[in-house]
Amino acid sequence: MRRPANQEPPLSAGALVGLGLRVQHYDALSSHGLRADFAEAISENFMGRGGRAFSVLERVRSDMPVALHGVSLSIGGMDPLPDTYLSQLAELATRITAFSVSDHLCFGTFGGHYAHDLWPLPYTEEALEHVVARVQRVQDRLGRQLLLENVSSYVEYRASTLSEWEFLSEVVTRADAGILLDLNNVFVSAQNHGFLPAEYLAALPRERVRQFHLAGHSDAGSYLFDDHGSPVSAPVFRLYEQALERFGPLPTIVEWDERLPELPVLEAEADRARALSNARQAAFREREP
Amino acid sequence: MKLAELQRYFASAATSGSGPLPELERVFFGSKQLSAQARLAIYNRAYFYRLLDALASVFGHTKRLLGELEFERLGLAYLSRHPSEHPAVERIGRAFPEYLRVTGAPPLIVDLASLEWARLCALVAPNPASIASVHAIQPSQFPEARLRFVPSLHWLELDPRVLSAFAGEQLDSSAVAALQPACRVAIWRSQHVVMQQAVADCEWQAFSHAASGATLSQVCSVFDSGSAAEDVQRAFRVLSGWFARNWLEKVEHGQALAI
């Protein structure tokens, strides 16, 4: 079964920059809501459970669209795709009419266990076929397109025969999936492996890129670490501008997980991204007759 | 190497608690700034410390009682033997109380960890389909009615000092090692807040009967002391307390079960 590429409900016009829901902000979210265009919820934090988390999600959903973003699907893993997981994800996506469902292009399961990390795949033909088949199964099960996010990585396999961007492009094209392009991850991996971020962006199929992620990273000296624990860096914002230029002003999430500040700090960070996105949108409008 | 073999190799390197695997440099690229071994070590460190953080977020009071270093030592040993079996990282501690028990931790600490795990289970339990009202019981159907409890309700037998330790009271080391007779504690979620309360033996027995499918007349037999007026009052107090605390999802009517 193939799905149309734009099956999910569209965002309202001008709705472009959102924030992730984090448990440390539940009090503020419950009382004041979220000042953003849309919100992103980590799927596993809400699947098959009730209580306050779900109440906060429903409160936010009553104000704005919600995107679901998973961390444990392990789309490249060798363990079977877990049936309960997919059922609960499908149920959650339906219940909150999620405007998108995404996860990471990586593996995170081993021998029936969860790593709770985003481990890189070898970029080989075998891995490509394996991932494409699994993405198609997930999309069939969810009845909608899956967006795949590029991950930050610290190591590369000698067995790889494709670049990361070639692999990502092939997966989404063959599986009819979308790309959630994390610009911080592109920047971090580029520094750690010595490629040009611009080359990565230029190689991606423009029509497949559907959302952006922005986040902070830390400098560990001999490598950059994707810790989501600081403001978006200036080079990543510059890369975001390049991405806006190439792919257009797409829905963007600002992520922050470690050393999480108060909600207004995140909202201000989202404002910075919104200003860039709006500027790019205005430039596009000027170019059009 | 095939994909499955590469993934097994990576997972072994990332989750090994005993140093690097052989031939890392033949499987992964290294560079002048960072060897393949150093690159895999980033994943190894991230794996253990992310899970240790998740463990600490659930077992905060246990960590306080054990101390930072001992919690880290026990936590890392636990994680190397009990990898996660659930897509939500917070569930990593499912077997931690039992691990503490079999590794010889003082019973008070094992019980405190059990309480913290039960509180997490109550916190994340699915919402009940409904909350039963006492008015759901028709007097004529009372004897044969059965009770279905909300998913968040858990019961534990614990050292009574666990409740003090959970409340932040300091216990000296000799007190931690000493054994105490167990008390029964109910843990549940009400209005998004996890509650806990010690309960009397007769209430524990009544709950055990009710949870195993007994009818209300069978449940009330627990309160039979030979003084009808007192028995009725005690049964009423306990049962109305269950309704008041929103422990009951549904009152069902049907055939009695043999118990």
Side-chain angles (χ1 to χ4, degrees):
Chain A
M1 187 184 81
R2 292 280 168 162
R3 289 138 307 279
N6 277 309
Q7 195 173 26
E8 62 269 24
L11 289 171
S12 58
L16 287 173
V17 181
L19 291 167
L21 302 182
R22 300 293 182 263
V23 66
Q24 295 90 333
H25 293 147
Y26 282 178
D27 281 343
L29 291 168
S30 299
S31 52
H32 307 301
L34 181 64
R35 188 172 64 76
D37 304 315
F38 70 106
E40 184 187 80
I42 301 297
S43 312
E44 291 82 1
N45 290 349
F46 302 93
M47 285 160 51
R49 63 183 277 180
R52 189 171 188 213
F54 203 84
S55 164
V56 168
L57 179 62
E58 287 186 317
R59 159 79 164 85
V60 170
R61 178 64 190 90
S62 68
D63 293 337
M64 63 186 64
V66 172
L68 285 180
H69 185 53
V71 292
S72 293
L73 179 59
S74 189
I75 198 69
M78 303 307 292
D79 289 342
L81 289 163
D83 206 51
T84 306
Y85 180 97
L86 291 177
S87 299
Q88 290 183 342
L89 179 59
E91 186 187 328
L92 179 62
T94 302
R95 189 161 169 190
I96 64 162
T97 52
F99 86 84
S100 66
V101 177
S102 59
D103 208 297
H104 299 83
L105 182 58
C106 67
F107 79 105
T109 50
F110 58 104
H113 299 120
Y114 289 88
H116 302 291
D117 201 352
L118 309 169
W119 289 342
L121 289 164
Y123 301 130
T124 62
E125 277 298 325
E126 184 196 5
L128 186 55
E129 286 174 21
H130 176 71
V131 173
V132 166
R134 283 165 69 95
V135 171
Q136 286 170 334
R137 281 213 294 284
V138 171
Q139 292 184 143
D140 286 348
R141 184 61 183 274
L142 298 179
R144 66 191 304 160
Q145 191 177 58
L146 182 68
L147 308 188
L148 289 171
E149 178 185 337
N150 57 300
V151 297
S152 288
S153 66
Y154 311 98
V155 73
E156 290 177 305
Y157 296 83
R158 290 187 184 274
S160 290
T161 54
L162 300 166
S163 66
E164 182 184 321
W165 50 91
E166 287 170 335
F167 188 82
L168 173 59
S169 302
E170 276 300 305
V171 167
V172 295
T173 303
R174 290 193 203 177
D176 190 16
I179 295 174
L180 193 174
L181 181 59
D182 188 314
L183 294 153
N184 181 57
N185 291 352
V186 171
F187 184 78
V188 165
S189 293
Q191 296 296 306
N192 291 342
H193 304 309
F195 62 79
L196 293 172
E199 188 181 354
Y200 194 120
L201 264 51
L204 297 179
R206 185 176 291 168
E207 71 285 0
R208 293 280 168 191
V209 180
R210 309 290 302 281
Q211 282 179 34
F212 297 131
H213 267 183
L214 297 170
H217 59 260
S218 57
D219 189 339
S222 50
Y223 64 95
L224 297 185
F225 189 62
D226 175 31
D227 62 357
H228 294 189
S230 54
V232 179
S233 68
V236 171
F237 264 131
R238 283 197 292 277
L239 193 59
Y240 180 52
E241 289 183 282
Q242 292 175 39
L244 290 167
E245 178 68 32
R246 172 160 167 73
F247 304 108
L250 297 173
T252 301
I253 282 285
V254 177
E255 296 181 298
W256 202 316
D257 292 289
E258 297 293 321
R259 302 177 292 279
L260 195 67
E262 297 295 312
L263 202 48
V265 176
L266 267 71
E267 289 169 341
E269 194 75 346
D271 288 341
R272 294 175 66 194
R274 190 179 292 103
L276 293 173
S277 185
N278 285 341
R280 184 55 51 194
Q281 229 167 356
F284 276 134
R285 276 198 294 269
E286 276 177 22
R287 279 184 219 162
E288 288 173 0
Chain B
M1 277 185 181
K2 304 285 282 182
L3 178 61
E5 203 180 343
L6 284 169
Q7 289 196 10
R8 270 197 303 275
Y9 192 88
F10 188 103
S12 296
T15 65
S16 165
S18 57
L21 299 180
E23 301 192 328
L24 273 177
E25 304 283 345
R26 287 181 58 188
V27 180
F28 303 103
F29 285 111
S31 63
K32 274 185 186 167
Q33 303 102 312
L34 213 55
S35 66
Q37 185 181 322
R39 288 170 185 268
L40 265 297
I42 298 168
Y43 287 98
N44 189 277
R45 217 167 26 250
Y47 173 78
F48 281 106
Y49 283 91
R50 179 177 293 113
L51 296 181
L52 191 65
D53 280 351
L55 210 57
S57 73
V58 173
F59 297 100
H61 293 273
T62 307
K63 180 179 174 180
R64 180 175 54 77
L65 217 56
L66 281 169
E68 183 103 22
L69 288 178
E70 183 64 356
F71 181 82
E72 180 170 328
R73 186 187 69 78
L74 284 166
L76 292 175
Y78 167 75
L79 293 170
S80 66
R81 289 166 181 77
H82 294 274
S84 172
E85 295 173 346
H86 197 284
V89 68
E90 66 205 0
R91 312 289 178 100
I92 183 65
R94 183 184 58 81
F96 191 53
E98 177 61 12
Y99 178 79
L100 291 174
R101 191 186 65 75
V102 300
T103 52
L108 179 67
I109 288 179
V110 176
D111 280 2
L112 182 56
S114 300
L115 174 64
E116 293 196 278
W117 179 250
R119 288 180 62 89
L120 175 82
C121 293
L123 180 74
V124 303
N127 290 335
S130 58
I131 292 291
S133 154
V134 70
H135 304 297
I137 304 180
Q138 297 299 317
S140 62
Q141 296 172 315
F142 182 89
E144 297 307 312
R146 289 195 198 88
L147 304 176
R148 188 198 297 167
F149 293 90
V150 295
S152 72
L153 181 61
H154 293 72
W155 289 69
L156 292 174
E157 289 188 70
L158 300 171
D159 183 320
R161 294 167 305 162
V162 162
L163 299 179
S164 309
F166 186 84
E169 290 177 23
Q170 295 295 323
L171 300 169
D172 63 47
S173 55
S174 59
V176 169
L179 278 171
Q180 288 269 318
C183 72
R184 275 79 183 224
V185 177
I187 299 114
W188 75 101
R189 189 179 73 223
S190 177
Q191 302 296 323
H192 306 325
V193 177
V194 176
M195 320 283 282
Q196 63 199 34
Q197 183 176 319
V199 293
D201 283 354
C202 63
E203 183 166 0
W204 163 266
Q205 287 172 32
F207 169 78
S208 300
H209 277 48
S212 63
T215 63
L216 277 175
S217 63
Q218 290 167 325
V219 171
C220 288
S221 68
V222 165
F223 302 99
D224 186 358
S225 67
S227 165
E230 257 182 48
D231 295 347
V232 168
Q233 280 181 22
R234 288 168 64 213
F236 179 80
R237 266 200 308 275
V238 166
L239 292 177
S240 59
W242 293 357
F243 282 101
R245 286 176 229 137
N246 293 336
W247 283 4
L248 298 168
E249 185 174 40
K250 197 176 179 191
V251 177
E252 296 171 322
H253 303 280
Q255 294 296 307
L257 300 175
I259 58 169

